[in-house]
Amino acid sequence: MTREESPVATPERDDTRALTVVMHTAFFVLLAASLARYLARHAEGPRTPWIIALSALLAVLYVLGPALGTRLAPRRLAWLGLVVATWALLVVLAPSFAWCAVPLFYTGLRTLPPRAAIALVALLTALAVAAQLSLAGWPDPNVLVAPPAVAAVATTVYVVMQRQSARRDALIDDLVRTRRELAATERREGTLAERERLAREIHDTLAQGLSSQRMLLQAADRLWDTAPDTARDHVRTAASIAERSLAEARRFVHDLTPADLAEGGGLLQALRAVADRETTPALTVRVHLEGTPPAALPAPVESALLRIAQGALANVREHAAATTATLTLTCLDDQIVLDVTDDGRGFDTGTVPETEGRGHGLPAIRARLRQLGGTLTIESAPGEGTALSAAIPLEPR
């Protein structure tokens, strides 16, 4: 967002425009009033034609000013010099034109740098005082004090307004810069979060599928000569896993929704499909349901629990040497819990750092639960199997 687009800049431009209109109007009103006063008193005087001509010239010159801009430029400075010279000549010939100096204060302050503008205001004020004293005919204290006071007030107000405007512009620039930095930070954080999520998705789908295929093919290679039927079963299972991994990859590219959930059967059916695929002659995987599942779980919750089940079963398959594993989905009013238990070799949880776990699977599970405000509990001991419990809070039903 540029300053011109910011909501603060438009009122500022409106205020400046209003002040400019008031000053221009005041100049022409004062010029007309001064001319009328002169004609009322000296209509037959020898200077009258010159006064009328100079008044018309001053009005024309003043009208040309806006077309030249408001800041330092050779043409603008030449114009300002002509305006001041014409006005000064008018004041010398007819002191009643002195009060036209007030709008000229504003013009000088807008055009010149601060020091030059203040010097011009002082010059205009001195001419105005001299003109008023010539009319009064004696050193009137009011004449001596009033023009300098008006000039001081006008200059002070304008300078203060300009400084406030500069500070406001600086604040706007800081705000715009801060917004840009915040947006850039959010984009970076979003990119990092998305990378982490993609890493978990790849680990829970393609990496696990490839790991299973490798183990099955290695087993088939060892048994190919001694137990060809079993070896062929391993190859067929590996082919089935490869097909499923391909479906996951396609779904992953399409919208990152787990393929089992995309089929529309819900979380329980997806867990049963995972259990069927993970069941082998050496490992039996069962699924149990406790409680009544909600009519519709949030998609992130379903996806997270399915991926957690896949990751936990991958750990069982690769590390536990278990014969039985059980997926238990417990549906409560305020949370949903997925328990994954096995009868494998187990491990000592005290020797596994909480932040590392066994491989990438447990950190990925913790990260998924952390994003949803859930908790992970692991209970295990050598020779006694492992129980993993993942709980995710839900809105009360």
PDB file of all heavy atoms in Angstrom, residues 341-354:
ATOM      1  N   THR A 341      -2.351 -50.095  20.041  1.00  0.00           N
ATOM      2  CA  THR A 341      -1.639 -50.996  20.956  1.00  0.00           C
ATOM      3  C   THR A 341      -1.093 -52.176  20.170  1.00  0.00           C
ATOM      4  O   THR A 341      -1.644 -52.572  19.130  1.00  0.00           O
ATOM      5  CB  THR A 341      -2.573 -51.507  22.062  1.00  0.00           C
ATOM      6  OG1 THR A 341      -3.684 -52.204  21.466  1.00  0.00           O
ATOM      7  CG2 THR A 341      -3.105 -50.346  22.893  1.00  0.00           C
ATOM      8  N   ASP A 342      -0.009 -52.731  20.659  1.00  0.00           N
ATOM      9  CA  ASP A 342       0.574 -53.922  20.031  1.00  0.00           C
ATOM     10  C   ASP A 342       1.169 -54.807  21.116  1.00  0.00           C
ATOM     11  O   ASP A 342       1.393 -54.367  22.251  1.00  0.00           O
ATOM     12  CB  ASP A 342       1.631 -53.522  19.002  1.00  0.00           C
ATOM     13  CG  ASP A 342       2.851 -52.885  19.619  1.00  0.00           C
ATOM     14  OD1 ASP A 342       3.663 -53.610  20.234  1.00  0.00           O
ATOM     15  OD2 ASP A 342       3.019 -51.641  19.490  1.00  0.00           O
ATOM     16  N   ASP A 343       1.431 -56.071  20.760  1.00  0.00           N
ATOM     17  CA  ASP A 343       2.011 -57.032  21.704  1.00  0.00           C
ATOM     18  C   ASP A 343       3.466 -57.304  21.364  1.00  0.00           C
ATOM     19  O   ASP A 343       3.966 -58.415  21.586  1.00  0.00           O
ATOM     20  CB  ASP A 343       1.200 -58.332  21.696  1.00  0.00           C
ATOM     21  CG  ASP A 343       1.173 -58.993  20.318  1.00  0.00           C
ATOM     22  OD1 ASP A 343       1.729 -58.392  19.344  1.00  0.00           O
ATOM     23  OD2 ASP A 343       0.610 -60.092  20.187  1.00  0.00           O
ATOM     24  N   GLY A 344       4.135 -56.278  20.840  1.00  0.00           N
ATOM     25  CA  GLY A 344       5.520 -56.472  20.414  1.00  0.00           C
ATOM     26  C   GLY A 344       6.526 -56.388  21.541  1.00  0.00           C
ATOM     27  O   GLY A 344       6.184 -56.471  22.722  1.00  0.00           O
ATOM     28  N   ARG A 345       7.768 -56.163  21.150  1.00  0.00           N
ATOM     29  CA  ARG A 345       8.861 -56.219  22.103  1.00  0.00           C
ATOM     30  C   ARG A 345       8.879 -55.027  23.052  1.00  0.00           C
ATOM     31  O   ARG A 345       9.476 -55.076  24.116  1.00  0.00           O
ATOM     32  CB  ARG A 345      10.204 -56.302  21.365  1.00  0.00           C
ATOM     33  CG  ARG A 345      10.498 -55.116  20.475  1.00  0.00           C
ATOM     34  CD  ARG A 345      11.953 -55.154  19.980  1.00  0.00           C
ATOM     35  NE  ARG A 345      12.227 -56.312  19.172  1.00  0.00           N
ATOM     36  CZ  ARG A 345      12.264 -56.309  17.841  1.00  0.00           C
ATOM     37  NH1 ARG A 345      11.994 -55.189  17.185  1.00  0.00           N
ATOM     38  NH2 ARG A 345      12.550 -57.394  17.169  1.00  0.00           N
ATOM     39  N   GLY A 346       8.224 -53.937  22.675  1.00  0.00           N
ATOM     40  CA  GLY A 346       8.191 -52.771  23.544  1.00  0.00           C
ATOM     41  C   GLY A 346       9.550 -52.096  23.640  1.00  0.00           C
ATOM     42  O   GLY A 346      10.523 -52.509  23.012  1.00  0.00           O
ATOM     43  N   PHE A 347       9.619 -51.061  24.465  1.00  0.00           N
ATOM     44  CA  PHE A 347      10.878 -50.357  24.660  1.00  0.00           C
ATOM     45  C   PHE A 347      10.781 -49.547  25.946  1.00  0.00           C
ATOM     46  O   PHE A 347       9.706 -49.356  26.516  1.00  0.00           O
ATOM     47  CB  PHE A 347      11.199 -49.444  23.473  1.00  0.00           C
ATOM     48  CG  PHE A 347      10.189 -48.333  23.259  1.00  0.00           C
ATOM     49  CD1 PHE A 347      10.405 -47.060  23.770  1.00  0.00           C
ATOM     50  CD2 PHE A 347       9.012 -48.568  22.559  1.00  0.00           C
ATOM     51  CE1 PHE A 347       9.489 -46.041  23.570  1.00  0.00           C
ATOM     52  CE2 PHE A 347       8.088 -47.561  22.358  1.00  0.00           C
ATOM     53  CZ  PHE A 347       8.322 -46.292  22.874  1.00  0.00           C
ATOM     54  N   ASP A 348      11.941 -49.073  26.380  1.00  0.00           N
ATOM     55  CA  ASP A 348      12.003 -48.287  27.602  1.00  0.00           C
ATOM     56  C   ASP A 348      11.784 -46.825  27.240  1.00  0.00           C
ATOM     57  O   ASP A 348      12.634 -46.186  26.612  1.00  0.00           O
ATOM     58  CB  ASP A 348      13.365 -48.474  28.274  1.00  0.00           C
ATOM     59  CG  ASP A 348      13.445 -47.753  29.613  1.00  0.00           C
ATOM     60  OD1 ASP A 348      12.438 -47.116  30.001  1.00  0.00           O
ATOM     61  OD2 ASP A 348      14.506 -47.823  30.259  1.00  0.00           O
ATOM     62  N   THR A 349      10.624 -46.260  27.602  1.00  0.00           N
ATOM     63  CA  THR A 349      10.311 -44.875  27.240  1.00  0.00           C
ATOM     64  C   THR A 349      11.268 -43.883  27.891  1.00  0.00           C
ATOM     65  O   THR A 349      11.454 -42.768  27.393  1.00  0.00           O
ATOM     66  CB  THR A 349       8.871 -44.522  27.655  1.00  0.00           C
ATOM     67  OG1 THR A 349       8.718 -44.745  29.060  1.00  0.00           O
ATOM     68  CG2 THR A 349       7.879 -45.398  26.903  1.00  0.00           C
ATOM     69  N   GLY A 350      11.908 -44.293  29.008  1.00  0.00           N
ATOM     70  CA  GLY A 350      12.835 -43.390  29.668  1.00  0.00           C
ATOM     71  C   GLY A 350      14.123 -43.194  28.903  1.00  0.00           C
ATOM     72  O   GLY A 350      14.847 -42.219  29.142  1.00  0.00           O
ATOM     73  N   THR A 351      14.435 -44.094  27.987  1.00  0.00           N
ATOM     74  CA  THR A 351      15.685 -43.976  27.223  1.00  0.00           C
ATOM     75  C   THR A 351      15.472 -43.306  25.884  1.00  0.00           C
ATOM     76  O   THR A 351      16.424 -43.098  25.139  1.00  0.00           O
ATOM     77  CB  THR A 351      16.292 -45.369  26.972  1.00  0.00           C
ATOM     78  OG1 THR A 351      15.378 -46.145  26.163  1.00  0.00           O
ATOM     79  CG2 THR A 351      16.545 -46.089  28.284  1.00  0.00           C
ATOM     80  N   VAL A 352      14.214 -42.930  25.555  1.00  0.00           N
ATOM     81  CA  VAL A 352      13.919 -42.297  24.278  1.00  0.00           C
ATOM     82  C   VAL A 352      13.597 -40.834  24.533  1.00  0.00           C
ATOM     83  O   VAL A 352      12.637 -40.531  25.235  1.00  0.00           O
ATOM     84  CB  VAL A 352      12.727 -42.976  23.583  1.00  0.00           C
ATOM     85  CG1 VAL A 352      12.442 -42.289  22.247  1.00  0.00           C
ATOM     86  CG2 VAL A 352      13.023 -44.449  23.371  1.00  0.00           C
ATOM     87  N   PRO A 353      14.391 -39.889  24.012  1.00  0.00           N
ATOM     88  CA  PRO A 353      14.084 -38.474  24.214  1.00  0.00           C
ATOM     89  C   PRO A 353      12.692 -38.130  23.720  1.00  0.00           C
ATOM     90  O   PRO A 353      12.279 -38.575  22.653  1.00  0.00           O
ATOM     91  CB  PRO A 353      15.162 -37.746  23.389  1.00  0.00           C
ATOM     92  CG  PRO A 353      16.275 -38.750  23.261  1.00  0.00           C
ATOM     93  CD  PRO A 353      15.610 -40.091  23.222  1.00  0.00           C
ATOM     94  N   GLU A 354      11.968 -37.346  24.500  1.00  0.00           N
ATOM     95  CA  GLU A 354      10.588 -37.019  24.170  1.00  0.00           C
ATOM     96  C   GLU A 354      10.489 -36.288  22.844  1.00  0.00           C
ATOM     97  O   GLU A 354       9.501 -36.411  22.129  1.00  0.00           O
ATOM     98  CB  GLU A 354       9.994 -36.150  25.296  1.00  0.00           C
ATOM     99  CG  GLU A 354       8.536 -35.769  25.103  1.00  0.00           C
ATOM    100  CD  GLU A 354       7.591 -36.935  25.200  1.00  0.00           C
ATOM    101  OE1 GLU A 354       8.003 -37.997  25.711  1.00  0.00           O
ATOM    102  OE2 GLU A 354       6.425 -36.803  24.748  1.00  0.00           O
TER     103      GLU A 354
END
